Amino acid sequence: MNGERLSELRKDKGYTQQQLAELLSVSKYTISSYENEKTSPDDRSLIFIAKLFNISLDYLMGLIDTPVSYNREHNCLQLPSGFTDLQLDQIQEYIEFLEFRSKRQS
């Protein structure tokens, strides 16, 4: 598992190591060892972490660099990896426009 990613995900959600440890039923020191890549979580814990942060196991394991939702529903799109930040922003703006337009028509 990519420990740096776990640390970033945890901090982005506002969890302390202690809070994440309680959710996983492990010690704070175990979370620290995951983040420092001294140990790895078991499969059950990996799946729990992926669901908790709504990211794919591939992203959590460091196999891909783009965070993909754990819940790949029919409306989840995989965008080409070569898209620039500007293009991704434009896609997000277009999605927001479509949501706005849909609400106005309702």
Side-chain angles (χ1 to χ4, degrees):
M1 183 182 71
N2 188 307
E4 185 177 329
R5 286 204 177 146
L6 176 61
S7 178
E8 289 173 8
L9 290 164
R10 177 182 59 76
K11 291 173 185 176
D12 286 347
K13 281 281 194 175
Y15 290 130
T16 64
Q17 286 184 340
Q18 182 63 44
Q19 290 169 321
L20 182 56
E22 289 171 5
L23 291 170
L24 287 169
S25 300
V26 298
S27 74
K28 171 185 169 181
Y29 303 105
T30 300
I31 299 300
S32 177
S33 72
Y34 294 164
E35 290 181 358
N36 292 305
E37 299 183 24
K38 293 180 180 175
T39 61
S40 294
D42 61 16
D43 291 344
R44 179 194 65 80
S45 296
L46 280 172
I47 292 169
F48 181 86
I49 292 167
K51 286 181 178 179
L52 177 67
F53 296 116
N54 193 26
I55 46 100
S56 69
L57 288 168
D58 290 339
Y59 179 76
L60 187 58
M61 301 297 293
L63 299 173
I64 62 174
D65 292 327
T66 304
V68 177
S69 173
Y70 180 84
N71 299 309
R72 291 185 193 100
E73 299 174 4
H74 70 281
N75 63 350
C76 181
L77 299 174
Q78 178 68 37
L79 299 175
S81 60
F83 273 24
T84 65
D85 287 342
L86 176 61
Q87 289 170 313
L88 295 174
D89 288 343
Q90 290 171 333
I91 290 168
Q92 183 61 42
E93 287 175 10
Y94 186 65
I95 290 169
E96 291 169 7
F97 166 73
L98 291 175
E99 288 174 334
F100 171 77
R101 191 173 77 181
S102 175
K103 288 177 186 175
R104 278 187 71 204
Q105 292 175 349
S106 298

